[in-house]
Amino acid sequence: MAKKVGVSEATVSRVLNGKPGVSDATRAAVLTALDVLGYERPTQLRGERARLVGLVLPELGNPIFPALAEIVGGALAQRGFTPVLCTRTAGGLSEADYVEMLLEQQVSGVVFAGGHFAEADAPHEHYYRLLALGLPVVLVNAASDNLEFPRVSTDDAVAVEQAFGHLVSLGHEHLGLVLGPEDHIPSRRKLAALRLAAEAAGIDQISVEHAMFSLEGGQAVTNRLIRSGVTGIICASDPLALGAIRAVRRLGMSVPEDISVVGFDDSNFMNCTNPPLTTVRQPIEAIGRAAVTLLVNQIDGAVVTAEELLYEPELVVRGSTAPAKVRALV
C-alpha cells in the first residue's frame, strides 16, 4: 500500500497508529487508499466516509458550466451526496490545490469538467495521483489519452459536421474555424473533423484561428478571419461566437447578412442575443447524469471501464446564419 500512495512504510505505520508527524493530506491519502483497496481501517480510525463529491470546473463565466454544475449537483443530491464546487480563478487555487483540499476532506469521488485533463500541455500530476489512489473520478469532456478515467463527452466531430453541413447548404465556400488553444483536445478533434468534411465536400478555403475561450478571444481572431475573406465562421463555444459577432459589427458589417456565425454549447440566453445565435447544442442533461451514474457506480464498488461515452449534439438554427453573398475583401 505504501508504494501505491507514494510514501514510505514508516509513514503508513504512523498513520495507522495515529502518530504525529504526518501532514493532513498524506494522512487522508493513506486512509483513502485503505478504503479503495478494501482494507479495514483500524478501530480508532473508523467512521463513515464523508459523502462529499468534488466538482471541479475551469470557470463560471461560460454559462455552460453553471448549467452543468446544477445538473451534476442535483443528481448527486438525489443519490445522497453533497457536491463541493471548486472553480479555478486567476490568481486563485489551482486544480492541484483543489485536489489536495478534497483529499483532506476525504471526498468519495471527483468530477472534473473541462479542466487541465483536456489540455495536452497542462500539468497532469494531480490526475496521476488520483489514478494511483484509485479514487473514483469521472472526466466530462475529451481528455489526454494517458488519463485512463471514465469519460463522458459531446461528439466534437459530429458537432463540426453539423455546423459545416449547415453553412455549406447555405452556399458558404470560404469558412473560418475559431478554436481554443492548440493543445486543447476537443479543439483538435473539431479541427480534424472540419478538414475531413471540407475534403469530402471539395472545399479548400478553410481558415483556422486559435484563441482563449472568451468573448474577447473570439473578437480578436475574427478580425483576421474577416480580412481573409471568410463568409461563415464556426466557433468552439458560444462566448467565442459572441466575440465573432462583435468583431463583424465593429468592422461595419452585419450578421448574418455579411457573415454567418455558428456557436457551440447552446448555453443560456443564446436565443435572446441579437441576432439569436445558431449553435450546436450539447446534451448536458444527459452528460451530467451519466457522469454522476459512472461516479456513483465506482463509489459503490462496481468496475467501470475508462471507455469514453460520446453523446451526439444537435444543430439549433436561429438568426445568425443566412445564405452566403459574394463580398470584397476588407
Side-chain angles (χ1 to χ4, degrees):
M1 187 181 74
K3 184 177 181 181
K4 187 173 184 65
V5 183
V7 299
S8 68
E9 292 184 7
T11 298
V12 172
S13 177
R14 283 197 293 273
V15 171
L16 297 182
N17 291 290
K19 302 294 184 182
V22 181
S23 71
D24 290 341
T26 299
R27 189 180 303 279
V30 170
L31 294 177
T32 298
L34 274 178
D35 294 337
V36 299
L37 290 173
Y39 292 109
E40 188 174 353
R41 293 189 183 195
T43 304
Q44 71 273 19
L45 299 178
R46 290 178 191 168
E48 186 174 350
R49 186 169 178 76
R51 292 184 66 81
L52 302 175
V53 170
L55 175 56
V56 184
L57 304 176
E59 58 162 317
L60 293 178
N62 184 339
I64 200 69
F65 290 117
L68 180 65
E70 182 177 4
I71 292 165
V72 171
L76 285 169
Q78 289 175 349
R79 303 289 192 99
F81 292 91
T82 301
V84 180
L85 182 62
C86 305
T87 307
R88 295 187 348 235
T89 55
L93 295 180
S94 66
E95 268 192 6
D97 293 332
Y98 277 125
V99 166
E100 201 73 23
M101 179 193 75
L102 292 170
L103 287 175
E104 289 177 1
Q105 294 297 317
Q106 297 187 49
V107 294
S108 297
V110 185
V111 175
F112 291 91
H116 286 323
F117 64 84
E119 302 163 0
D121 299 336
H124 290 164
E125 288 78 9
H126 52 293
Y127 299 119
Y128 298 141
R129 184 178 181 195
L130 293 174
L131 278 170
L133 287 172
L135 190 73
V137 170
V138 174
L139 309 180
V140 179
N141 217 348
S144 295
D145 291 337
N146 56 337
L147 298 175
E148 297 186 357
F149 294 110
R151 289 158 289 161
V152 187
S153 311
T154 297
D155 194 322
D156 293 295
V158 171
V160 165
E161 289 163 5
Q162 290 177 348
F164 174 84
H166 174 60
L167 290 177
V168 169
S169 73
L170 293 172
H172 294 273
E173 297 180 348
H174 187 175
L175 300 179
L177 182 63
V178 179
L179 299 170
E182 292 188 30
D183 72 327
H184 186 242
I185 306 300
S187 292
R188 289 180 177 180
R189 290 184 176 184
K190 288 182 173 71
L191 178 56
L194 182 66
R195 286 174 171 163
L196 286 174
E199 182 180 358
I203 292 178
D204 56 8
Q205 288 185 298
I206 300 292
S207 300
V208 179
E209 295 286 349
H210 293 272
M212 294 182 61
F213 277 107
S214 66
L215 188 150
E216 293 77 14
Q219 179 183 346
V221 299
T222 297
N223 290 324
R224 291 196 292 270
L225 290 176
I226 293 172
R227 288 193 293 269
S228 76
V230 303
T231 63
I233 301 174
I234 300 170
C235 299
S237 77
D238 288 342
L240 285 174
L242 296 181
I245 292 173
R246 178 191 282 180
V248 172
R249 287 178 172 162
R250 291 196 174 177
L251 288 172
M253 305 168 72
S254 64
V255 175
E257 289 78 12
D258 295 302
I259 294 178
S260 290
V261 176
V262 181
F264 176 73
D265 283 339
D266 195 28
S267 43
N268 289 338
F269 308 119
M270 291 305 106
N271 61 333
C272 301
T273 60
N274 183 25
L277 184 66
T278 295
T279 187
V280 180
R281 176 182 295 158
Q282 291 203 65
I284 60 166
E285 176 83 27
I287 285 173
R289 291 193 172 278
V292 171
T293 297
L294 286 172
L295 188 79
V296 173
N297 286 349
Q298 292 179 75
I299 293 171
D300 290 343
V303 176
V304 178
T305 67
E307 296 297 322
E308 182 178 19
L309 300 182
L310 288 177
Y311 283 76
E312 189 157 324
E314 175 189 2
L315 177 70
V316 181
V317 179
R318 298 194 182 106
S320 65
T321 51
K325 73 175 185 177
V326 178
R327 67 179 182 82
L329 295 182
V330 175

